[in-house]
Amino acid sequence: MATHTVPAQPVVNPAFESYVSTGNISPWAISNMGTGRIEIIDGVNPCSNENGDVQCAGGRVVIRPFPQNSPNAYSSISQTFLAKPSTTYGLSFMYRCLNYDAGTRIEVWYNGQFKGSTNNCVNTASFQRPTTPIQFTTDATGQGTLEVRFVSSGGTPYLYFYADDFKATAVY
């Protein structure tokens, strides 16, 4: 019987820093609908400022998704990983929206099932985190695919996001 060591943080390359040495963000996969795209930006250390508490992700690489300007069109990143079996995790990440409207959102999917979304876009240079981490539960194998979709309402032709520091933490 083979044994697997499950890391405390199952998301690999959560801040995309492998890009600096490899030129890619593996094991993340990028997917786009239509004319959407995701750019990898080197030279940004995202920070949030919530009630005077400044927190920075560290590092220097973020992604910049530009979903196609159609209702519910999205650009996404996904990753298949091994986590602790039958365990609930909370996904947290830093993000910023630009040129957005009320229908702009970021959705989290796990193994093809919608798990939650955030649309707390604010008009600031500061990055945000979801108010509450978005939860997903692994099955008995612990292996699954996490997908993060950056979704357009279709009414924002110049919409784009920044995102970084994706972390899945076990919820006990």
Side-chain angles (χ1 to χ4, degrees):
M1 174 190 252
T3 60
H4 299 284
T5 302
V6 178
Q9 172 50 254
V11 176
V12 178
N13 195 17
F16 314 112
E17 293 304 310
S18 69
Y19 180 78
V20 175
S21 60
T22 66
N24 66 58
I25 61 170
S26 182
W28 290 102
I30 294 173
S31 176
N32 293 293
M33 291 179 66
T35 58
R37 68 185 189 283
I38 292 181
E39 296 177 349
I40 302 163
I41 308 298
D42 185 358
V44 177
N45 179 11
C47 297
S48 66
N49 183 357
E50 297 185 23
N51 301 319
D53 180 23
V54 177
Q55 296 181 5
C56 297
R60 64 186 218 200
V61 178
V62 299
I63 60 169
R64 182 167 54 191
F66 294 83
Q68 177 178 317
N69 185 33
S70 328
N72 299 312
Y74 63 88
S75 293
S76 71
I77 56 172
S78 62
Q79 182 179 130
T80 299
F81 56 82
L82 181 64
K84 188 174 178 183
S86 305
T87 301
T88 298
Y89 287 86
L91 183 71
S92 179
F93 49 91
M94 298 181 83
Y95 69 95
R96 181 176 170 213
C97 316
L98 289 97
N99 304 318
Y100 57 89
D101 65 13
T104 299
R105 64 194 179 280
I106 300 171
E107 297 178 346
V108 174
W109 294 67
Y110 185 73
N111 282 345
Q113 295 182 350
F114 175 75
K115 295 299 172 182
S117 67
T118 186
N119 66 349
N120 188 30
C121 295
V122 294
N123 193 16
T124 177
S126 180
F127 280 67
Q128 308 294 314
R129 286 193 181 273
T131 307
T132 303
I134 298 170
Q135 294 186 357
F136 63 93
T137 302
T138 58
D139 65 13
T141 69
Q143 184 167 334
T145 300
L146 179 69
E147 180 183 24
V148 180
R149 295 180 180 181
F150 303 89
V151 184
S152 172
S153 67
T156 51
Y158 303 106
L159 167 67
Y160 62 100
F161 300 84
Y162 287 98
D164 193 21
D165 199 32
F166 290 82
K167 293 180 182 172
T169 305
V171 176
Y172 296 104

